[in-house]
Amino acid sequence: MDLNDLGADSFQIGDRSKEEFIYVFNKSAALPLNVDCAGITHPMPDYYIKRSGARFYVFEQILEGKGTLFNDGKKYDLSAGDFYILEPRTEQYYFSDAADPMKKIWINFYCDFFPKLFTELRIAGICTFHGFNAADKMMQIYSLVKQTPDNEAIAYPVMNLLFSIASDLSRHAARQQEGAIVSETAELTRFLLNESLTQKISLEDISAKLYKSKSQINREFVKYFGTTPYKYLLDRRLELAKFMLANTNTSVKEISDTLVFVDEHYFCTLFKEKCGMTPGQYRRNAGMQTS
């Protein structure tokens, strides 16, 4: 990441008197991701932002109200429950509806490998996701930023949450294209698993939260997602491990600990079994492909 090339070429803004925002310090080229700022925008009729040439990504969740977004000249109507992504160097203009202004939670961040991530997840170029709720994860991100506005402390947990949101967006977009209907139990199970990439969770935990039997949860999840909850969670953790190996300098042990594997030896054995090579070999191969 080139830290000398971070600003926006053009930036205009309306009323921000009811906006909470926190700037994050200690940006570092050694980190895989750097947060610029995050915040909560409360309803303001005269709120707007117009920018071009910004180098950062913007993730925003609409919590209440309505608004309008123009991204590279294309218009999108926004309402509560919508989520949108603004990619770097695009022309961006968004504003609240005067009669029913938006409340939203957002984060601006820099990350060199997100273009590759978006391409692999098949959401590159998609701006608005209607009916997608990532409010809980966005609030987790905001809480991390508010508690410790230091990139060296929050880069990895924020990256993990953003990766999880992007993966959820990929599946949301695919379901919308296919018109698939997923049962509430299966969807909530997937949501809980996606929230647990970096923390322990068991089928017993999910059963207690959803008031459903383990057999019903397992049966419905397999029906709609074609795999068991355990295998789904394992695959997601390995996906994130591969991205961290390819795009960060995080040690294998730190990755193993972050993704709550039993220990480094188990992680390396499992990674080789599933991916055909050790984590170290995967990192070296990824480095050769990008060099």
Side-chain angles (χ1 to χ4, degrees):
M1 179 186 300
D2 183 359
L3 297 181
N4 297 312
D5 186 31
L6 297 183
D9 291 339
S10 174
F11 181 72
Q12 299 175 40
I13 192 162
D15 184 13
R16 297 184 75 178
S17 60
K18 296 180 181 178
E19 186 169 56
E20 306 172 37
F21 57 92
I22 301 163
Y23 287 103
V24 183
F25 304 100
N26 285 336
K27 294 182 179 66
S28 170
L31 294 171
L33 178 144
N34 283 275
V35 179
D36 182 60
C37 55
I40 298 175
T41 303
H42 297 280
M44 293 172 284
D46 297 323
Y47 171 84
Y48 76 87
I49 286 182
K50 184 181 288 187
R51 69 166 74 89
S52 63
R55 277 64 165 177
F56 49 73
Y57 285 89
V58 179
F59 275 27
E60 303 211 357
Q61 174 76 62
I62 310 300
L63 303 173
E64 300 173 8
K66 297 178 182 178
T68 303
L69 164 66
F70 289 90
N71 190 44
D72 277 346
K74 188 172 180 179
K75 180 182 177 183
Y76 303 89
D77 293 322
L78 305 172
S79 60
D82 290 346
F83 190 96
Y84 61 89
I85 294 174
L86 303 177
E87 298 188 32
R89 302 180 185 276
T90 56
E91 299 284 336
Q92 305 160 8
Y93 176 39
Y94 45 103
F95 52 91
S96 277
D97 181 272
D100 189 11
M102 295 184 291
K103 178 180 180 180
K104 57 194 179 77
I105 185 168
W106 50 269
I107 180 172
N108 300 350
F109 64 94
Y110 305 94
C111 188
D112 288 340
F113 69 79
F114 258 59
K116 179 182 175 184
L117 174 66
F118 281 11
T119 298
E120 293 197 7
L121 293 178
R122 300 181 181 178
I123 57 173
I126 302 178
C127 178
T128 304
F129 300 80
H130 297 293
F132 177 82
N133 186 1
D136 286 349
K137 291 179 185 177
M138 292 294 287
M139 187 57 71
Q140 288 181 55
I141 291 171
Y142 180 70
S143 297
L144 283 167
V145 172
K146 187 175 182 179
Q147 182 177 354
T148 313
D150 181 340
N151 273 296
E152 291 186 358
I154 66 172
Y156 288 103
V158 168
M159 182 184 71
N160 292 344
L161 285 163
L162 290 170
F163 179 93
S164 181
I165 291 172
S167 298
D168 291 345
L169 287 168
S170 175
R171 288 166 175 79
H172 178 79
R175 286 201 307 276
Q176 285 193 324
Q177 274 190 328
E178 298 167 359
I181 299 175
V182 179
S183 78
E184 182 179 18
T185 297
E187 188 63 62
L188 288 173
T189 300
R190 185 185 63 85
F191 175 80
L192 292 171
L193 293 171
N194 287 340
E195 285 211 317
S196 304
L197 299 184
T198 58
Q199 59 191 21
K200 292 183 178 180
I201 191 170
S202 67
L203 202 54
E204 287 79 5
D205 297 328
I206 296 172
S207 175
K209 289 182 178 182
L210 300 186
Y211 300 102
K212 305 285 184 180
S213 69
K214 292 188 292 182
S215 60
Q216 181 181 355
I217 290 169
N218 196 72
R219 182 172 62 252
E220 291 200 28
F221 198 88
V222 171
K223 176 181 177 181
Y224 290 102
F225 295 112
T227 187
T228 65
Y230 172 76
K231 290 181 179 177
Y232 176 89
L233 180 60
L234 193 61
D235 287 344
R236 294 294 306 285
R237 285 175 172 163
L238 289 173
E239 283 177 18
L240 183 51
K242 287 193 284 187
F243 267 98
M244 293 178 74
L245 288 165
N247 298 286
T248 78
N249 293 321
T250 309
S251 71
V252 172
K253 184 181 187 308
E254 287 176 312
I255 293 173
S256 173
D257 291 344
T258 297
L259 299 179
V260 293
F261 287 99
V262 175
D263 55 37
E264 182 181 359
H265 176 73
Y266 173 74
F267 168 63
C268 291
T269 301
L270 182 67
F271 192 95
K272 184 174 182 180
E273 176 187 331
K274 299 290 185 181
C275 305
M277 62 184 76
T278 66
Q281 290 169 331
Y282 184 89
R283 171 168 275 166
R284 288 192 292 274
N285 286 351
M288 287 188 290
Q289 291 173 8
T290 57
S291 62

